[in-house]
């Protein structure tokens, strides 16, 4: 709470910057099945970073793919490319816009 109060006192004096965009693509397939797709999409979309996070629920599993970047349009194109490629494998994929994060 002390650090938060100090930050609030300084926040008006700190310069702003470009806000990071983060978009999640939920996939109904395992991380290993889409690893090459993720590498190819990241390479094709400069300035993006892609992370994959497997999830498990009773009787179900999949991967949450998170695309981050400073250019919202490029990150969006990367998310669409991931979703299309995953669907081409026969799995389901849908995009969830996480909004802007600091």
């Amino acid at each position: 709470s002390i650090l938060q109060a100090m930050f609030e006192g300084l926040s008006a004096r700190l310069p702003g910057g470009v806000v990071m965009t983060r978009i999640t693509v939920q996939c109904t397939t395992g991380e290993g099945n889409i690893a090459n797709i993720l590498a190819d999409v990241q390479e094709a979309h400069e300035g993006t970073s892609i992370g994959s996070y497997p999830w498990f629920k009773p009787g179900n599993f999949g991967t949450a793919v998170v695309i981050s970047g400073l250019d919202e349009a490029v990150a969006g194109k990367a998310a669409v490319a991931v979703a299309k490629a995953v669907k081409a494998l026969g799995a389901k994929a849908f995009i969830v816009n996480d909004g802007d994060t600091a």
Side-chain angles (χ1 to χ4, degrees):
S1 64
I2 294 172
L3 179 60
Q4 183 176 3
M6 291 172 63
F7 175 74
E8 288 173 7
L10 291 172
S11 64
R13 292 189 253 165
L14 296 173
V18 177
V19 176
M20 180 72 71
T21 295
R22 183 176 55 198
I23 302 170
T24 300
V25 181
Q26 290 290 349
C27 308
T28 60
T29 188
E31 186 178 31
N33 295 332
I34 59 173
N36 290 336
I37 291 170
L38 303 183
D40 291 345
V41 170
Q42 184 169 321
E43 186 176 328
H45 296 84
E46 187 174 337
T48 61
S49 176
I50 298 180
S52 58
Y53 307 93
W55 52 267
F56 303 92
K57 296 178 183 177
N60 219 352
F61 70 95
T63 306
V65 177
V66 179
I67 297 102
S68 302
L70 296 177
D71 186 324
E72 185 176 0
V74 174
K77 289 177 184 176
V80 169
V82 168
K84 284 183 179 179
V86 169
K87 289 176 183 177
L89 290 177
K92 293 180 184 174
F94 59 94
I95 297 172
V96 180
N97 189 343
D98 296 334
D100 298 332
T101 60

